[in-house]
Each structure stands twice: as structure tokens, then as C-alpha cells.
Amino acid sequence: MQYVLAIDQGTSGTKALVFDASGRVHSRGFTAVPCTHPRTGFVEQDANAIYQSVLKAVAECLERFEGDQKDIVGVGISNQRETVVLWDAQGDPIGQAVSWQCQRSLGVCERLKQEGMGPTIAEKTGLLIDPYFSGTKLIWLNENDERVRSHIAAETAYFGTVDSWLLYRLTNGGVYCTDYTNASRTMLFNLNTLDWDRELLTAFGLDGLRLPELRPSASNFGATDFDGLLARPIPIVSMIGDSHAAAVGEGCLKPGLAKATMGTGSSLMMNVGSQPQAPAHGLVSTLCFATEKRVDYALEGIIISAGSTPAFLKEKLGLFDDFAVAEQAFTDYDNGGVFLIPAFSGIGCPHWKYPGGAQIVGLNFSNSWQHVARAAYESIVYQIKDVITVMEQAAQVPLLELFLDGGLVQRPFLLQYLADTLNRPVSTLALSEISAAGAAALASLELGLVDSLDAVHTERPVLRRVEPGSGVSAAAENHAQWLRWIERL
């Protein structure tokens, strides 16, 4: 039997898993990666720490693997998107990695909007002008960080999203590439030509920036031995952004199939076929995935704060000590008229509002912490509902099925409330590490271990299918009240 080693480098940590060609997991490893918040709205990570987390996760995974390491024949990588990493020719980072969550470029975004760049950026890249995307972070760094500015002027600044950074390090600087999905999140990539857009680079003042070579998600990206953890180098044959990888792993391989990743943030992505669709209703147009033989596009709705909201109540406010207590509160209480607007870093699709921070609204003297805890979880569901509504309108394709992945799918109460709010069934697969599974599926395809992506998906059983229940009416009333609060922002 032959295996694929899949790396899933996420915001909070790195997973390493060994998959066989049928998508079964044979070993796992995990290492946490911290974020820092040096100023209000600033979110950073140590690029070297991200790389070291990969090595540690892989080492743990290989130690637990009971098979023969020589049967691991390829590597697939999925990664957190939009995070900006800059490094020099020696592979040394130029400052901290700027997280996708970082809001430092809000002023840059306002300036670009005032300059009338919105329609051009949307037409070329499929994206909205927003701090979420890499391009605005790069503009801010070039204008405000002397180290970055001098390297760009000297054409010695290597830019990459996390996939490119890992690849550069894993190949000892031998390969400098990215895939189409990660490139499509930078605001520098033209969806129609599948190439870097030089006109935008000039408009952004980034002509001196070094950019990675572009390739489909399933391609030959060089080889690595993970700094000696393997006895010999093996080929890296897939790289893909984590939300796109999840779409592949969930089987969103034809128009109308969608997935929602419920993690720190959330990404809802619907396959729309072989042609890009214009962004509308706060959605963005993006790549779904790409192989040498096909390119699938998607519409995506971005939720900035999902699981991070109840985590904030626990870790920063001390509202409860254990998530299990908060989850019991969801079951035992209604929301008591309380709503939590999780605008810690703004509200994403379809509203895209920045009211200056999160808000707890509707409080009165009869409320307790349990109402606030429930409101935090409800806010995740309402944001998903808002995205699904505009996604169906924009794609003019009815949602065929919504697959869920991410840590929050382990909360049955949340799945039921989501099914009630959407008034349609939701499903989860038995495998939880779905982004890694998508990267592994693409790697298996590139290696010839499977004939098609469909063959991999049919092997993955549905773990849970939740139908709408008796709470549909109450959920609809609550969602309507949520929208009224959003409109007041």
C-alpha cells in the first residue's frame, strides 16, 4: 500500500496526517502555533515558528505511523490563506507574518475605495477591497515598514502566502511557487488570465516585489525530506488553500455543492463550474481547485469570527470555565433577547461592516451569562444563514447540499440550530481533518494512486445528517431580529 503525507497548516496549529489512497487516516500529529496582538487590530505570527510547527507535527505523525516510511510516496499541503510572509534570498523572514485576521490595512482599503479602485479589483481578482486579503497588507507594509520598503525597492523581498513560505523552506530555497487557489486570495492575481496582474501591482506600488511561480493545485512542487525526518526526499504534489482543500475533501466537485468550514473563522464555498462568476452581494469570486486538466471556480462568503467568539468569552472575559458549560447553557436557555454582533475584526459577508468592535445587544436586568453564551453560538449560525441566502441569489443555483467541517461540527446542538435556521438538512463527514483530506486527495490524483477525485469522495461516509426540527419558527424569528440589529450598525 502507498501513502500520502498531508500537512494542514492552520491559524492555531499544524496537523500532519498519513492517508492511504482511499482517504483513510493511518497516523496523526499536531503542534500549536500562537498568534500575537502587538496593537489593537494587529495580528501576527512568527514565520519561523510556523515552519518549525510543520517539522514537529510531521515528526510526531511519523513516529506514530506503523507502516513502512518508504511507502509514503508524496506530500500534499493545505494552509491558512491570505496571511502575508516576506523573506529574503537566504530564507530569513522580513519581520513577522501578518495574519489574515489583521486589520492594520483598513486605512489603505478606504483610500483604494476613494480612488475608485473597487470595480477594477473586483473585475480582475474577484475580490472586494478588504483588509482580509493579502494585497492591502502588502501595501501597508511597504508604506509603513522601512525594512519591507527597502527590500521591495531592491527587489529582494520574496512574498508568499504560507504555502509558498513552507515550500521554500522545505526545498531549501530550491522551489518558489504557489498554487492558483492561494494566489486568488492575494488581490494580485487575475482570475481570467490565471496570472499575476502587473497593472494592479503597479497601481499598488509593488512592482519590485518578488512573486512565486503559479501552478495548479495538483502539480509537481519539488521534493523534501523534512529536514532529515525522512530517509529520502519525496515529491510535494499538491498545495491548496485550506478552505479550497475542504471543498475538495467534502466532494464539492460540481455546481451547487457547498461546504462551510466552522473554525476560528468560517468560509462558505460553493462550486460554480468552469467559469468565474462576478462577485456580488458581498461574496467573492475565487478558484475552487485546479488540476492540469480542469479549473473549477467558486463563490465564497467569508465569516471573520466564528469559533473565536465563544473562545473570547471563555478566555478573555472569563464568562465560563469550560465550553461544555456554555454548550449546556445553549440547551437550557433561549437567547433572552440577547444578540452578540461578533465584529471583533468587522463583520464579513454579506454585510462587510466595521463598527469599531464587537457588541452585545438587547441586554436587560433579567439576563444572565447563559444568554450571552448562547448568543455567541447563535451568531455563528446567523452569519452562515446570511451567506447562504446571497450565495443562492448570486449563483442562481439552488444549494444542493451543505457539508460542514471544522471543530464546531462536534457540537450537535449547533448543527440542529443551523438546520432549523436554514430550514434544510446539513451533513458532516466521518473524517474531521477535511482540509488535509482534500490536499491528500489531490496528491493521490497527481501521483496516479486514484483515477479521479470522485473516486476518493465516494469512500468517505456521512457521519451525521441533521434535518430541520421543531425549532424552525423560533430560529426564523431570532434571525429576523439579528438582521435588524445588523442594520443598526
Side-chain angles (χ1 to χ4, degrees):
M1 184 175 290
Q2 293 182 310
Y3 304 91
V4 168
L5 176 61
I7 311 299
D8 180 22
Q9 202 301 297
T11 310
S12 58
T14 300
K15 300 173 185 176
L17 302 95
V18 173
F19 288 86
D20 63 29
S22 297
R24 290 186 291 268
V25 178
H26 292 260
S27 182
R28 291 177 170 87
F30 174 78
T31 300
V33 181
C35 288
T36 58
H37 302 80
R39 288 162 53 185
T40 301
F42 282 45
V43 187
E44 298 178 345
Q45 291 186 299
D46 183 328
N48 282 327
I50 291 174
Y51 177 65
Q52 290 300 320
S53 76
V54 170
L55 299 182
K56 291 176 183 177
V58 169
E60 181 178 303
C61 181
L62 294 176
E63 184 178 346
R64 295 176 176 177
F65 180 54
E66 296 180 354
D68 193 329
Q69 287 188 16
K70 68 177 177 59
D71 294 325
I72 301 176
V73 295
V75 178
I77 297 173
S78 67
N79 59 279
Q80 57 170 305
R81 308 174 302 164
E82 294 96 16
T83 293
V84 168
V85 187
L86 291 166
W87 64 94
D88 60 24
Q90 288 72 46
D92 294 322
I94 306 170
Q96 294 284 87
V98 180
S99 170
W100 59 271
Q101 299 170 299
C102 189
Q103 295 293 301
R104 70 183 65 191
S105 59
L106 267 172
V108 171
C109 293
E110 289 305 311
R111 187 179 76 217
L112 292 175
K113 292 174 184 177
Q114 291 172 8
E115 292 172 352
M117 290 291 293
T120 298
I121 289 171
E123 179 184 357
K124 287 173 173 285
T125 71
L127 305 179
L128 304 168
I129 297 175
D130 193 83
Y132 188 84
F133 303 110
S134 312
T136 64
K137 305 178 199 298
L138 285 165
I139 296 170
W140 189 96
L141 288 168
N142 189 39
E143 293 177 351
N144 293 276
D145 189 317
E146 178 56 37
R147 296 167 301 171
V148 172
R149 181 162 54 250
S150 61
H151 274 286
I152 290 178
E155 300 186 357
T156 56
Y158 289 69
F159 159 66
T161 43
V162 168
D163 60 313
S164 299
W165 164 244
L166 296 179
L167 182 66
Y168 196 87
R169 291 294 302 273
L170 289 171
T171 60
N172 296 311
V175 184
Y176 180 39
C177 290
T178 190
D179 91 298
Y180 293 152
T181 67
N182 279 293
S184 73
R185 315 302 299 180
T186 64
M187 204 180 281
L188 308 175
F189 176 80
N190 192 305
L191 274 187
N192 301 294
T193 64
L194 297 180
D195 201 356
W196 299 116
D197 194 293
R198 293 294 164 182
E199 291 181 356
L200 286 178
L201 284 160
T202 298
F204 295 160
L206 299 172
D207 278 325
L209 188 67
R210 287 182 174 266
L211 298 167
E213 180 184 338
L214 294 156
R215 293 182 185 175
S217 313
S219 300
N220 182 359
F221 291 99
T224 184
D225 63 0
F226 291 96
D227 281 10
L229 292 175
L230 293 173
R232 73 195 192 289
I234 58 175
I236 301 169
V237 286
S238 76
M239 295 202 309
I240 183 169
D242 53 9
S243 292
H244 312 264
V248 173
E250 300 279 16
C252 300
L253 306 176
K254 65 178 182 180
L257 291 177
K259 68 90 193 173
T261 297
M262 299 168 65
T264 303
S266 183
S267 161
L268 282 78
M269 190 173 290
M270 178 190 285
N271 190 313
V272 296
S274 60
Q275 297 295 323
Q277 291 205 6
H281 306 296
L283 298 165
V284 300
S285 184
T286 189
L287 263 292
C288 190
F289 64 91
T291 69
E292 297 289 351
K293 296 182 179 179
R294 66 184 282 190
V295 177
D296 278 33
Y297 293 86
L299 285 174
E300 182 180 15
I302 298 159
I303 295 171
I304 299 172
S305 296
S308 57
T309 303
F312 177 84
L313 298 185
K314 173 180 178 289
E315 296 163 9
K316 296 295 182 69
L317 298 188
L319 210 59
F320 46 85
D321 296 325
D322 192 312
F323 285 119
V325 176
E327 292 160 13
Q328 188 62 44
F330 191 101
T331 302
D332 295 343
Y333 288 75
D334 60 22
N335 65 23
V338 176
F339 292 83
L340 197 158
I341 313 298
F344 299 95
S345 299
I347 292 287
C349 181
H351 310 291
W352 294 107
K353 294 187 177 185
Y354 296 89
Q359 302 176 23
I360 301 173
V361 297
L363 283 171
N364 61 62
F365 284 122
S366 67
N367 294 133
S368 64
W369 71 264
Q370 288 94 338
H371 296 114
V372 178
R374 172 161 180 139
Y377 283 109
E378 283 189 4
S379 72
I380 301 167
V381 171
Y382 300 147
Q383 291 177 96
I384 292 173
K385 166 68 173 177
D386 294 344
V387 172
I388 291 295
T389 299
V390 296
M391 193 171 277
E392 289 184 311
Q393 294 171 357
Q396 297 185 340
V397 174
L399 178 69
L400 298 178
E401 189 167 0
L402 179 65
F403 291 100
L404 304 173
D405 64 87
L408 290 173
V409 302
Q410 299 173 33
R411 275 69 171 176
F413 69 91
L414 199 59
L415 302 190
Q416 184 62 64
Y417 195 68
L418 179 58
D420 290 346
T421 304
L422 295 177
N423 197 18
R424 64 185 65 191
V426 298
S427 300
T428 66
L429 298 182
L431 179 66
S432 59
E433 298 96 342
I434 204 66
S435 292
L442 288 165
S444 294
L445 180 68
E446 181 68 14
L447 291 165
L449 303 183
V450 296
D451 295 329
S452 69
L453 293 174
D454 290 296
V456 179
H457 182 62
T458 57
E459 298 283 341
R460 298 200 177 118
V462 172
L463 174 65
R464 185 183 294 116
R465 181 180 172 88
V466 181
E467 300 283 346
S470 59
V472 169
S473 177
E477 292 177 8
N478 286 339
H479 178 249
Q481 182 62 45
W482 155 270
L483 289 177
R484 286 192 287 272
W485 281 113
I486 290 290
E487 286 303 313
R488 296 181 189 181
L489 293 179

